[in-house]
Amino acid sequence: MKNQEEFQPKGTVAILVVFVITLIVLWGTIYLTLLQRGGTV
Amino acid sequence: MTAQTYSLSPKEKSFVSWHLLVAMVALALGTLFGPLQAFEHAGLNLYPFLQPLIKSYYQGLTLHGVLNALVWTTFFITGFLTFNVIYGLKRPLRYPTLNQVGFWLMIVGLVMAAIPILLNKASVLYTFYPPMKAHWAYYVGLTLVVVGSWVEGYGFYFTYAAWRKENPGERTPFIAFASVLTMVLWQIATLGVAVEMLTMLIPWSLGLIETVDPQLARTYFWFTGHPLVYFWLLPAYISWYAMLPKQVGGKMFSDSLARLAFWLFLLLSVPLGFHHQYVDPGVPAGWKFVHAVLTFSVFFPSLLTAFTVIASLEYGARKNGGTGLFRWVLALPWRDPSVAAQLLAGLLFFFGGIGGLANAAYNVNLELHNTTFVPGHFHLTVATGVTLTFMGVSYWLVPYLTGKKLWKPDLARWQAWLWFIGMIIFSNAMHVLGILGAPRRTPLGDAPYVPAEWNSRLLQVGIGGGILFISAILYFAVMIGTAFSKVKVEKEVEVPVAEALQPVSQTPAWLDRWAPWVYAALALIVIAYGPQLYEQIRNISLTSPGFRVW
Amino acid sequence: MSTTSLHVHPYEKRWIIFSIVLLIVFTAAVAIAAFALGIQVPSPEQRVDPRTVAVDPNSPWSNPGLREIAPGRYEAYILAQTWQFQPREIRVPVGSRVTFYVTSKDVQHTFKIQDTNINVQVVPGQVSKLTVTFKKPGTYPFICSEYCGVGHAGMFGQIIVTP
Ligand code: HEM
Ligand SMILES: [Cu+2]
């Protein structure tokens, strides 16, 4: 049986990099909106 | 290794089919209201035409939430899990009558809950927050649905125990393992809502007690409410981990990590319900923060899932000749509607995850709580990640169960793409509106405070809803067409169960042992919920009489 | 080969480490906003009896509205009920710091002030408390965003921040 190690899932890593960038941008936008709307205590 | 073939008996097939049939009828009625709501937001109010059958937007919204989020999911899932347990263990149910009793309890409960909703006596939405008070049959009916699903779960446990005895020392086949685990998670999770029903809502709706404590009721409800979403999600993950790789000609990238992810879900998915109560007045901020940290940690097994599932797909695509960093994606069998539906579901689920991470981020919830961002989010998760995956599963499972060829696979493929496109338009607009402050659970076409800058987005909600409506029609057309088709499959449909890249015998034994994980899960619940539950129950203030406000 | 150790592909190992770091960073960002910048979620404030809260003369919600407690410092007692807030309109000068105390005399509501971070569930029997400083003049609608019955869509009011 082919060893798992021989298979290098480079495409998977590429997709996940795109995902993480999207995640940081979208989440960051929402987070900055929160900061801009100010404190609550 | 040769996969043994095993087949469900005709009786078993029909038992599973009944689950799917009820699920699909619920979805057909439930999704009908989705576009109506979306059109209403866009300024096209069709509710006057539904009189006197449907009396208000909210009677419709109650139907939409209950039939889609509770009935479609629960019936499809119990059916699919039943299939997985039998097929995975390659043995019949130990006590089929027990499972039948469970199923009939669910049906009785469903009918009981449906009657008051249809009579407009339970327009309290699927979250039924007291002190809004519905007819008692609504609460009793929903409780029976849950109890019925428990009974079906007991049937799984007996079957699994029998298999264990017959196969000592063997690793539990993944799909059976994951299905039993999903059921365990569900049974722990639903304790919250069971207590809410039995100690408050049912006696109250029957007139045995006058008043309830709405804050404590919320705490009970969300004890169940969050893990509920994992009950929806894990069956989709079962398909993504173990079935989809086979459908694309690949293998499961890692059997061990798949199991580890499922254990982490069991461990972490319950003790974080306060993330639905971040802006509740009656829960201390400190405990909310503890649950926020736990919520972030349950994101971890989903990130793990993303890697393992995509790697399994990539393995298949490269074997089919796929090349390049991204181009291999095109080598996946997109023409197979079951594959297309699940890939598109998974793709949108990414964005559902991002929105979830925003909702769940403690104070960020101040920005998003009860805005249209929230339905925008869960139409990517439960209404796409889960629902479109289940649709994809049904594209092979229904032919397997009925022995009929899938009717017009081209339409089925269109269905998946239209759901994908409609949902992008719909959900994007809902997210943006939410950040702008638009409230959910509101017929916005009627709201006096809607500023003009929302209008273009509200229109997109309507357009997306229209496309989704067409997709839903195609889905039911394909299902009905298949059921009544005269074209039989040549030989029994092959059940797609992927082999693991590494032989399953190499999966460590501690990933196939139940007691430590279940005890750890219960312990974590006691730690994360115990002190607050004790505090809230000790200070219970039964001061709210019921209201009928619709 | 050992059957007790978990075998993980090196790529996936790195992804696991990265995922954990990412989640820690997000948690830290949230913690900073909460504990350093004062963007906090509500905590238990006070219990009331929803059956009497609007009529009991000792209850501030029997006479809901704005009270100035110091120059530029206000408390606003808001009563939520089907399907209106009392009061419906509040006027404060720009720069005012207002603490809201919101409760309901019937079902649940949500009190959300647009363009601010004030967004709390209003649960009968409980008091929801949050504070905001209005830095810019203008009209800030406050709306109900929890389903509270057929008239829910019309449940709103406004804060007018004068220059
Ligand atoms: C035809 C596709 C669909 C459309 C156009 C649609 C549209 C909508 C809209 C516009 C709302 C917001 C209503 C409001 O907040 O006032 C909504 C709520 C909801 N939808 Fe859908 N939906 C669809 C399918 C689904 C599916 C498949 C599910 C679940 C499996 C689902 C579950 C829900 C739930 C749980 C709610 C929240 C109900 C509540 O707030 O009580 N929807 N839907
Ligand atoms: Cu309200």
Side-chain angles (χ1 to χ4, degrees):
Chain A
M1 164 159 295
K2 201 171 165 196
N3 197 312
Q4 191 202 32
E5 232 84 313
E6 286 168 24
F7 166 53
Q8 306 283 326
K10 292 214 171 75
T12 303
V13 174
I15 289 182
L16 290 174
V17 167
V18 174
F19 168 63
V20 167
I21 292 171
T22 319
L23 166 64
I24 292 173
V25 170
L26 293 178
W27 195 90
T29 313
I30 296 169
Y31 180 72
L32 291 177
T33 310
L34 177 83
L35 296 190
Q36 180 245 317
R37 287 182 187 173
T40 56
V41 287
Chain B
M1 271 206 287
T2 52
Q4 284 165 275
T5 46
Y6 177 86
S7 192
L8 267 68
S9 72
K11 258 206 178 124
E12 291 170 329
K13 284 183 178 170
S14 111
F15 184 54
V16 173
S17 304
W18 274 100
H19 286 82
L20 301 198
L21 178 66
V22 177
M24 287 173 196
V25 171
L27 186 70
L29 296 174
T31 42
L32 213 55
F33 291 93
L36 290 174
Q37 288 147 205
F39 295 158
E40 194 284 338
H41 281 47
L44 175 63
N45 182 359
L46 297 175
Y47 288 87
F49 300 104
L50 302 181
Q51 299 286 356
L53 223 56
I54 298 297
K55 301 216 171 45
S56 73
Y57 182 85
Y58 290 110
Q59 191 184 1
L61 191 56
T62 304
L63 281 164
H64 183 73
V66 170
L67 290 175
N68 288 337
L70 303 180
V71 181
W72 148 250
T73 51
T74 307
F75 276 83
F76 191 96
I77 290 167
T78 43
F80 184 50
L81 297 186
T82 304
F83 171 83
N84 287 343
V85 167
I86 300 174
Y87 190 84
L89 299 177
K90 305 209 182 305
R91 91 181 294 299
L93 292 170
R94 179 73 182 80
Y95 301 114
T97 325
L98 187 64
N99 287 64
Q100 274 152 20
V101 169
F103 178 73
W104 283 106
L105 273 174
M106 284 168 69
I107 294 285
V108 171
L110 174 57
V111 173
M112 258 182 106
I115 294 170
I117 303 177
L118 292 173
L119 296 175
N120 197 27
K121 291 196 152 100
S123 297
V124 295
L125 308 187
Y126 80 116
T127 45
F128 46 84
Y129 293 143
M132 249 181 225
K133 189 162 142 188
H135 191 277
W136 60 266
Y138 178 69
Y139 304 116
V140 174
L142 290 183
T143 307
L144 282 181
V145 173
V146 171
V147 171
S149 70
W150 286 356
V151 173
E152 291 218 50
Y154 304 147
F156 296 171
Y157 303 159
F158 282 120
T159 310
Y160 181 49
W163 177 88
R164 229 322 130 236
K165 231 191 233 149
E166 295 152 6
N167 300 274
E170 236 181 85
R171 296 284 177 278
T172 315
F174 178 78
I175 60 168
F177 155 78
S179 297
V180 174
L181 185 147
T182 304
M183 194 38 99
V184 173
L185 178 119
W186 171 242
Q187 299 206 347
I188 297 175
T190 38
L191 290 176
V193 85
V195 171
E196 182 190 9
M197 288 291 192
L198 296 179
T199 66
M200 277 199 224
L201 301 186
I202 291 176
W204 179 55
S205 60
L206 287 169
L208 302 175
I209 55 173
E210 276 297 302
T211 49
V212 292
D213 182 336
Q215 180 64 71
L216 179 57
R218 283 176 68 85
T219 300
Y220 287 148
F221 183 85
W222 287 113
F223 181 101
T224 298
H226 191 74
L228 172 64
V229 312
Y230 289 98
F231 175 65
W232 299 334
L233 190 56
L234 292 190
Y237 277 12
I238 293 175
S239 178
W240 295 352
Y241 265 120
M243 296 170 167
L244 190 55
K246 174 82 175 181
Q247 292 175 284
V248 306
K251 289 187 175 174
M252 223 169 142
F253 185 68
S254 172
D255 178 81
S256 308
L257 285 183
R259 285 174 207 249
L260 181 64
F262 272 78
W263 285 124
L264 289 175
F265 282 123
L266 179 68
L267 197 61
L268 294 171
S269 65
V270 182
L272 33 80
F274 288 157
H275 78 217
H276 287 263
Q277 298 178 269
Y278 282 144
V279 302
D280 272 25
V283 182
W287 280 109
K288 292 171 179 172
F289 193 75
V290 170
H291 282 219
V293 173
L294 284 163
T295 304
F296 278 126
S297 65
V298 81
F299 201 66
F300 172 70
S302 276
L303 288 172
L304 198 61
T305 300
F307 190 103
T308 313
V309 169
I310 299 175
S312 310
L313 299 175
E314 185 181 354
Y315 182 82
R318 296 219 184 269
K319 252 182 37 184
N320 296 343
T323 53
L325 211 51
F326 292 102
R327 255 221 331 271
W328 58 269
V329 172
L330 301 178
L332 294 166
W334 286 93
R335 292 199 60 77
D336 177 345
S338 173
V339 171
Q342 297 188 63
L343 292 176
L344 295 173
L347 187 55
L348 285 191
F349 188 69
F350 265 136
F351 292 89
I354 296 174
L357 208 58
N359 280 323
Y362 193 62
N363 39 18
V364 178
N365 195 248
L366 291 166
E367 190 180 332
L368 307 174
H369 174 73
N370 273 357
T371 66
T372 56
F373 189 95
V374 178
H377 156 69
F378 62 64
H379 282 82
L380 293 180
T381 54
V382 67
T384 301
V386 172
T387 295
L388 188 53
T389 296
F390 288 176
M391 289 168 164
V393 167
S394 68
Y395 288 150
W396 64 261
L397 184 56
V398 169
Y400 175 86
L401 295 170
T402 57
K404 307 280 183 63
K405 248 200 170 127
L406 187 69
W407 186 73
K408 294 206 189 295
D410 286 346
L411 276 192
R413 211 170 52 244
W414 270 99
Q415 183 275 320
W417 279 98
L418 286 176
W419 194 275
F420 177 73
I421 294 165
M423 198 51 92
I424 290 177
I425 297 171
F426 169 81
S427 153
N428 177 60
M430 294 283 280
H431 280 90
V432 174
L433 281 165
I435 295 173
L436 295 174
R440 71 182 281 202
R441 297 184 154 176
T442 307
L444 287 169
D446 246 7
Y449 47 74
V450 172
E453 58 162 328
W454 294 1
N455 285 343
S456 64
R457 301 290 180 180
L458 289 169
L459 186 65
Q460 289 167 29
V461 169
I463 293 170
I467 298 174
L468 284 163
F469 184 55
I470 297 170
S471 171
I473 290 175
L474 291 185
Y475 178 65
F476 295 111
V478 171
M479 284 296 113
I480 294 170
T482 305
F484 291 100
S485 157
K486 298 213 167 61
V487 189
K488 296 230 158 65
V489 291
E490 289 103 40
K491 58 180 179 36
E492 181 159 87
V493 174
E494 192 197 353
V495 178
V497 180
E499 275 175 51
L501 258 174
Q502 222 100 49
V504 177
S505 56
Q506 282 182 29
T507 296
W510 55 270
L511 286 174
D512 202 17
R513 210 164 276 144
W514 290 80
W517 294 100
V518 173
Y519 288 134
L522 294 175
L524 206 54
I525 292 172
V526 171
I527 293 168
Y529 257 116
Q532 257 307 294
L533 272 178
Y534 173 75
E535 195 64 21
Q536 289 190 25
I537 294 171
R538 196 170 58 99
N539 291 323
I540 189 169
S541 52
L542 298 168
T543 48
S544 277
F547 293 89
R548 180 175 169 169
V549 286
W550 63 88
Chain C
M1 205 177 278
S2 149
T3 54
T4 49
S5 68
L6 186 64
H7 179 87
V8 184
H9 190 284
Y11 280 22
E12 189 151 22
K13 223 173 251 171
R14 269 177 257 167
W15 172 248
I16 288 175
I17 294 167
F18 175 79
S19 298
I20 294 173
V21 172
L22 186 74
L23 293 171
I24 291 174
V25 170
F26 279 139
T27 312
V30 165
I32 290 169
F35 303 108
L37 305 177
I39 306 177
Q40 258 296 10
V41 298
S43 269
E45 166 63 20
Q46 174 194 343
R47 293 281 186 98
V48 293
D49 188 329
R51 294 166 294 192
T52 56
V53 72
V55 288
D56 179 353
N58 295 321
S59 153
W61 293 273
S62 64
N63 177 25
L66 194 70
R67 334 257 202 260
E68 184 164 15
I69 51 170
R73 199 63 196 81
Y74 297 87
E75 285 179 349
Y77 289 86
I78 310 270
L79 182 70
Q81 65 184 79
T82 50
W83 291 292
Q84 53 176 295
F85 290 110
Q86 291 186 46
R88 289 178 177 202
E89 192 175 298
I90 292 173
R91 279 171 185 272
V92 288
V94 69
S96 300
R97 211 171 135 70
V98 188
T99 300
F100 290 89
Y101 297 86
V102 194
T103 195
S104 164
K105 67 171 210 182
D106 42 53
V107 295
Q108 297 188 30
H109 304 270
T110 296
F111 179 70
K112 172 167 174 26
I113 308 178
Q114 302 294 37
D115 296 320
T116 72
N117 282 327
I118 304 291
N119 185 359
V120 276
Q121 193 72 9
V122 183
V123 181
Q126 304 275 344
V127 175
S128 308
K129 175 191 167 192
L130 281 179
T131 301
V132 63
T133 304
F134 291 100
K135 296 197 183 108
K136 273 191 239 145
T139 302
Y140 295 76
F142 54 85
I143 61 176
C144 176
S145 59
E146 180 61 85
Y147 167 53
C148 57
V150 279
H152 162 61
M155 183 164 169
F156 81 115
Q158 55 187 10
I159 297 163
I160 297 170
V161 178
T162 53

